[in-house]
Amino acid sequence: MSTDDKYKPRVRTVNRSLPEFFCLRGMTIRLNGKEQQTAAATLQELAQELNLPEKGIAIAMEMRMIPRQAWAETCLNADSEVIIIKAACGG
């Protein structure tokens, strides 16, 4: 492990060989700096719960961008720090 790896925030992902219920449901997270109750267990479920659009959205968790294809397997944790960024056109 390099020195840089020690300081990267850790994000827990679902082990594909385990059933989905290993991600906990029903918790308080920090969403864009504010406490938010959610029933979601993963970033994908959170995006659906918040009715986020299919395009123009980026999500960071624990100060690390999470690729859209990893949202379904990225578990939320109590007190997770989630930032949702919406693309805006214009100047």
Side-chain angles (χ1 to χ4, degrees), residues 11-76:
V11 176
R12 185 172 60 131
T13 58
V14 176
N15 180 335
R16 289 220 178 256
S17 64
L18 297 175
E20 183 180 314
F21 63 82
F22 278 83
C23 288
L24 300 176
R25 295 186 181 282
M27 65 193 79
T28 301
I29 61 171
R30 289 197 60 78
L31 180 61
N32 290 350
K34 297 179 182 173
E35 286 192 356
Q36 169 91 25
Q37 274 293 115
T38 182
T42 64
L43 284 180
Q44 180 68 44
E45 291 176 8
L46 180 65
Q48 291 169 345
E49 184 179 293
L50 298 173
N51 296 316
L52 297 178
E54 297 264 332
K55 295 185 178 186
I57 295 293
I59 298 180
M61 187 167 150
E62 311 305 345
M63 301 300 285
R64 189 170 140 216
M65 294 303 294
I66 307 296
R68 183 178 291 271
Q69 54 272 37
W71 290 3
E73 54 192 52
T74 303
C75 293
L76 292 170

Side-chain angles (χ1 to χ4, degrees), residues 73-88:
E73 54 192 52
T74 303
C75 293
L76 292 170
N77 303 302
D79 298 323
S80 286
E81 185 76 34
V82 178
I83 298 172
I84 297 174
I85 302 162
K86 296 180 183 179

